[in-house]
Each structure stands twice: as structure tokens, then as C-alpha cells.
Amino acid sequence: MKRERPSAGPLPPIMEITAGRRGHETARVTGEGGEECYLHSLYDPFREAEAHAAKQLPFSTVVFLGAGLGYHIPPSLASNPQVDRIVIVERYPELAARAAARVDTGRIRVEVVTGPRHGGFPALPEGLDAARLAVVTHPPSVAANPGWYAHFQVAVAVAGHEGAPRQNGPKRGPLTVLVPFEAYYAQRECINGFEALGHRVVVLDLRGKEGEEVAPFREALLQERPDLVFSVNMRGLDRRGIVAGMLERLGIPLALWFVDSPEFILYGEAMPPPAACHVFMWDRSYIPAVAAHGYRVSYLPLAADTTLARAARVREEFRAPLSFVGNSLVSGFLGRLAVKFPTTPETISFAAQAVERLIACRGDQLRLLDELVTAAAPLLPDDDARLFFRAYLLHSATSAYRTRLFRTLLPLGLTFFGDPDGWRTVFGPGIRAYPDVNYFHETPAVYASAGINVNATSLQMPHTVNQRVFDVPLCNGFLLTDRQGALLELFEEAELATYGTIDEAAELARFYLERPPLRSEIVRKAKRRVLAEHTYEHRMARVVGETVGVASLPAGGAP
């Protein structure tokens, strides 16, 4: 796991103003990463500048983050005659001076922020108000020196608002919760949970904007002034930690809920400052590693979205004695991992043996995984290869475990929903396998229509339970699930049907298929438990309570 703050990085050793292919000036720099690049087109920097120029800006003050030689500044100002003050933030003093010289200083006040200062960054001019200024970014400049500009992206975003007083003590009444949204797993369910509690949710739609999160986040933070920002798996946060820096300096708490292994999510990411962030983990096994970096970490298992129940009706096309909704993992996923490390005969042989050991030690697989990756280190060239090999081992073990379980259950009428080609690759063309089903509109009907819904937990979850454990009973379905450590923390034994071995799973499936009344009784008890304790409304109440300290929930909200 990598945790870093935006920094200036090493001083760039080269900045040279040179002639392009057609005689126009350009700037060649060696940036923070040590790679040489040009800040302007070698052929037509004036035409290129039109793409970087701002068309219509709402304010009279503009901050140019990165200027290069300033080709894009005059067309930006020509399109915005109301501008009377600009701030040029440019890494290289000579470029800053050249850019400033392109501006009519008789009409426009020009201020320059440039170069390193002993012991830190140069300061922004006084009197800036982040809510009343426009920011124009010069992408090539920022790409060359991202750490240096990251500092100023944060500073500009909070100018005039940093340290604004916030309410002391627990806040009462509804909150404003900002949720960066990418149509990612569990995001919609969490939004539903916040809204069910009566909180106002601002959904920041970042679909298709990976790498472009900072500007919309800045605008939303200044306009909405949320009480809380909530992210699932750090989705919607930029990789350099700029958004997290904004939140820290604006005094807005950040809640992160990890619903997948943080080992792979956090690799290479700039983690938020611990003091401004509360982490929630869906599996206890990962808490020590994250807490070791100074974070407050709470265990928060998955839950059920009560809106699913609306689609939970029996449908003939989904009837099956046994069903499984999910991916085989063999139709592309494992292959995508395998290209990230050397697939030599040695690594493949090692992986095959490792898979058997992982399956045999369910519940303690993370400790064993550490040992296995350490033992395989001589076969792997770098940290990237080791990380992807680790993921490959874990998901290969899950695939092998599920394959063995489902092969035993196929004679009982097991039907697959999702990834039909993958399942046919595993089991042959004669199986019953249907295309993916829509999670919100069709999956509830699959659960309601099956005699038994089979669950086989991924090996990346040593302790906790997956989504099916809550969704299936909510949708009036019967669940047969493997035993996880968290099960009896969340349910009573009479509310569950669990197996420990593959043979036991087949035996129990036959037993319950012959006893519909018993299945109905277990479903009734499990559904009552889910509605009473395990909905996203309950989970988001925990998030709000532990992060913001809401003293009382809105009417109708129950933790």
C-alpha cells in the first residue's frame, strides 16, 4: 500500500526554450518523472492553443494552472472580456515571465506564482476566493510536473475558504452527503441508504471522467459544502490525492468503504490524510494492514438494498432447482491477470500447487498468501508482477473451489445466470447457462424463482459474507451458503442453511429440495433478520454516526 501527499518532487533538471519545426517557440522540459517532453506543438502552437483556451468563464478572476509560453492565454482572455485579474501559476520562472508578457497589463491585473521557494511552495496572492474564480489548466504543463501542480490545485480550490468554521460536536438533522458516482458496485445501494435516512445526497456523476475528477469535485465542494464525502473503494477520487487534500483543508470528512481487497485498490494510490478520513472495511481480515497507516478503521459488512424486493417475484423463465448468479472467472478475468507477470512453466507450476493450499486453509488464506508470494518472489521481476501474481493465486483458487462445488451440484439441476460462455468452457455445452441478468430488475426474480440459491464465497473474503447472503432472503429466496466466520455474528443458526465441505453441500441440497416448508420457514426468519439489522440504511447510519457523529437520525431512520 502506498500513501503519499502531493509534493513538488525532484527539481526538474532541464527547461529550454527552443524553436519548433516551423520556427515557433516551444519549451522542452524534463519533468518530475525524468522524461523529456514539449509543452507546445512543434508545428503549430497557436492552433493547439485554441484547444487549451477557455471559451466562456463565469468570473472576472482567472487562475491559469500551468502556462508554458502562454499561447492559450490571449485567446482565453479574448473570449472573456470581463476578466480583470489573472494569476499565472507556472513551474518555470522564465516561462511565467514569457506568459505574463502576452497580457495587456493596462487592463488586466497580472500576478505570477512560480518556481520553488526555500522550504516549500510559493504562496498564492491574497484576496482570492475559490468560489468566485475560474481555473484554466494547461494539461501538458501539469502532466510534466504533476506533484508541483497538485499542491496548487488544492490551494486554489480552498482559497478564501480554508479553516472556515464548522459546527462543533455532533450535527443534528439531515446531512448533505456528496457521493462520487461511477455506476460502480454498491454505490447506488449506498445512495438509497442515505436517502432512506432522510439525508440529502448530492450525486457527482463522474462516469467516463477517470483522470478528470478534480475540476468537478472542486465545483461541487464549493457549491454544496457537504457535511460528508462518501466513496466506495475510493472510486471517484483522483490518484494523486488532490481531492483528499481539498477535503482536509476545507474540514470536510471523508468516509471510505472498501468492499473489495484494499491490497489491489490502494496500490500506487495517494491515500487521504488519516486525520480527515474514516475507513470502513467489509472484511475484518484487512483491518490491521490499513490501521497500521494511522487510519481509523471500522468493520462494516455488506447489506441488502430494500428496493430489490420490488422485483422479487417468481418468473417462469428463471425457475430452477438450484441456481447460481455470477461469473466463472475463466472468460477473460484470469487471463487479464496472467499477462501481468511472467507465465513461465515455473510460475504456472507454483500457482497450481498454491491454489490447492489456499483452498485447504479457508479462513487463514491471507497469511498463507503472504508466504506464497514471498516464496515466489525469485520468479517475479518487480512489485507489479508480485501484486498481480497474488491476485491471480487468490482468484484462481476461488475459480477452482467453485468449479469443484458446482460440478457436484450439476446433477441436481444447477443453472447458471451470467457468463454462459465461461461456464460452458468449464463444464461443457450441455449445461443450463443463461446470459447476465440485471442486478436491480432481474436478479431478485432469479432468487425468488429458484428452489435453492447456491453461494460460494470468494477466497478474497476470509471472514465476511458476500452480497447474496443478504439479497437472497430479502427477495424471498432460499440460500445455501458456505460457512464464513461472520455468519453467526449476523444471523442465528435457525436463519441459515450452511455447508462446510463440497460433499456436505450436495447432501444438504438434496435434503432441502425435498422439504419446501422447511425452506420457507428459514427464508421467513432470515428475511426478518435482514430487514431488522442488515439493510444499507443500517450501514449508512453507521457511516454517518462514526464519521460525522450525528446525534439523532431523521424521522423514519433506524440504525
Side-chain angles (χ1 to χ4, degrees):
M1 185 192 313
K2 177 182 178 183
R3 183 172 67 82
E4 61 180 23
R5 299 297 312 280
S7 66
L11 294 180
I14 295 175
M15 192 295 293
E16 179 185 10
I17 298 175
T18 184
R21 302 290 170 80
R22 296 177 179 174
H24 300 298
E25 286 186 328
T26 186
R28 182 173 63 214
V29 305
T30 299
E32 292 170 6
E35 296 181 358
E36 185 181 276
C37 63
Y38 290 89
L39 300 185
H40 306 287
S41 168
L42 293 172
Y43 293 93
D44 192 345
F46 290 99
R47 182 175 180 180
E48 178 193 58
E50 294 295 333
H52 297 316
K55 305 308 179 193
Q56 291 185 327
L57 300 174
F59 302 113
S60 61
T61 299
V62 180
V63 175
F64 288 93
L65 277 178
L69 286 161
Y71 286 111
H72 66 300
I73 294 179
S76 296
L77 298 178
S79 298
N80 295 277
Q82 82 284 1
V83 173
D84 57 18
R85 181 187 185 188
I86 71 169
V87 179
I88 296 175
V89 180
E90 168 52 54
R91 178 68 181 81
Y92 303 95
E94 185 175 354
L95 295 182
R98 292 287 196 98
R102 295 181 184 272
V103 183
D104 177 5
T105 54
R107 185 178 68 85
I108 298 175
R109 175 183 174 188
V110 180
E111 295 162 285
V112 173
V113 178
T114 186
R117 291 289 187 272
H118 182 68
F121 292 91
L124 289 175
E126 294 184 358
L128 293 179
D129 181 349
R132 299 190 59 79
L133 61 80
V135 178
V136 177
T137 300
H138 186 237
S141 296
V142 174
N145 292 289
W148 194 84
Y149 284 104
H151 168 85
F152 290 102
Q153 286 177 296
V154 173
V156 169
V158 304
H161 295 259
E162 186 174 5
R166 299 185 68 82
Q167 176 175 317
N168 294 323
K171 179 181 173 70
R172 296 180 179 272
L175 305 177
T176 294
V177 182
L178 177 65
V179 179
F181 183 74
E182 296 182 353
Y184 184 70
Y185 171 67
Q187 287 182 324
R188 174 53 60 189
E189 295 92 314
C190 292
I191 291 169
N192 291 342
F194 283 124
E195 291 180 338
L197 291 167
H199 299 305
R200 172 178 172 257
V201 179
V202 176
V203 177
L204 181 59
D205 192 343
L206 295 174
R207 286 174 288 185
K209 295 182 179 178
E210 185 173 356
E212 303 174 4
E213 303 93 346
V214 173
F217 240 111
R218 170 183 172 274
E219 183 178 351
L221 292 176
L222 293 171
Q223 288 184 355
E224 305 293 347
R225 287 312 302 258
D227 301 289
L228 172 68
V229 172
F230 174 83
S231 170
V232 176
N233 283 6
M234 292 187 67
R235 302 295 288 200
L237 305 181
D238 66 289
R239 294 182 64 86
R240 296 201 61 82
I242 297 169
V243 168
M246 295 178 190
L247 297 177
E248 179 190 29
R249 291 173 65 173
L250 289 171
I252 300 172
L254 170 65
L256 299 175
W257 191 17
F258 288 97
V259 296
D260 283 302
S261 168
E263 298 168 309
F264 310 117
I265 297 167
L266 298 180
Y267 186 74
E269 291 282 347
M271 280 289 286
C277 179
H278 195 125
V279 176
F280 297 86
M281 195 67 63
W282 100 124
D283 192 304
R284 279 201 178 99
S285 307
Y286 299 94
I287 289 179
V290 177
H293 289 271
Y295 290 92
R296 295 171 294 158
V297 189
S298 299
Y299 170 54
L300 191 70
L302 294 171
D305 182 353
T306 55
T307 66
L308 294 180
R310 302 169 190 166
R313 60 185 183 278
V314 175
R315 290 170 53 172
E316 287 301 320
E317 66 266 36
F318 296 147
R319 282 191 182 274
L322 280 75
S323 76
F324 179 79
V325 180
N327 194 285
S328 69
L329 302 181
V330 303
S331 57
F333 180 71
L334 289 174
R336 290 193 295 274
L337 291 176
V339 300
K340 301 291 187 177
F341 61 87
T343 50
T344 62
E346 291 79 12
T347 55
I348 297 304
S349 173
F350 186 99
Q353 297 176 49
V355 161
E356 297 304 320
R357 294 181 62 188
L358 287 166
I359 293 174
C361 76
R362 286 184 63 90
D364 193 29
Q365 57 263 45
L366 294 189
R367 178 197 57 77
L368 176 58
L369 197 59
D370 288 339
E371 294 179 4
L372 291 169
V373 174
T374 298
L379 305 175
L380 305 166
D382 52 34
D383 287 344
D384 283 358
R386 285 186 281 276
L387 178 77
F388 285 104
F389 188 64
R390 182 185 184 92
Y392 180 81
L393 294 182
L394 202 55
H395 292 290
S396 292
T398 297
S399 178
Y401 161 62
R402 287 178 171 176
T403 297
R404 295 169 194 179
L405 171 67
F406 296 155
R407 181 171 285 116
T408 303
L409 298 177
L410 277 172
L412 300 179
L414 179 62
T415 300
F416 299 96
F417 294 91
D419 189 23
D421 293 338
W423 291 118
R424 291 187 180 110
T425 298
V426 176
F427 296 118
I431 64 168
R432 296 180 64 195
Y434 297 97
D436 292 349
V437 286
N438 181 277
Y439 176 71
F440 287 99
H441 303 297
E442 294 178 309
T443 300
V446 173
Y447 291 154
S449 303
I452 294 175
N453 292 278
V454 179
N455 189 31
T457 308
S458 167
L459 268 75
Q460 77 163 341
M461 301 162 67
H463 172 81
T464 196
V465 299
N466 60 24
Q467 192 74 53
R468 295 182 194 88
V469 172
F470 306 104
D471 285 352
V472 171
L474 174 74
C475 297
N476 303 315
F478 179 83
L479 181 74
L480 178 61
T481 185
D482 41 9
R483 296 189 188 108
Q484 288 286 100
L487 268 174
L488 292 182
E489 300 172 2
L490 301 166
F491 294 88
E492 299 290 339
E493 284 195 54
E495 300 162 351
L496 301 166
T498 66
Y499 64 89
T501 66
I502 290 174
D503 289 342
E504 186 182 7
E507 180 182 342
L508 287 172
R510 295 187 186 92
F511 174 83
Y512 284 112
L513 281 174
E514 296 172 356
R515 293 166 174 79
L518 179 56
R519 297 202 308 266
S520 297
E521 178 65 13
I522 292 173
V523 170
R524 183 184 64 80
K525 293 177 179 177
K527 182 175 182 176
R528 182 173 59 194
R529 177 71 63 182
V530 168
L531 290 173
E533 298 179 11
H534 304 311
T535 68
Y536 277 94
E537 186 175 352
H538 296 103
R539 301 298 187 253
M540 295 307 100
R542 279 272 314 280
V543 168
V544 168
E546 294 189 25
T547 305
V548 184
V550 171
S552 60
L553 292 167

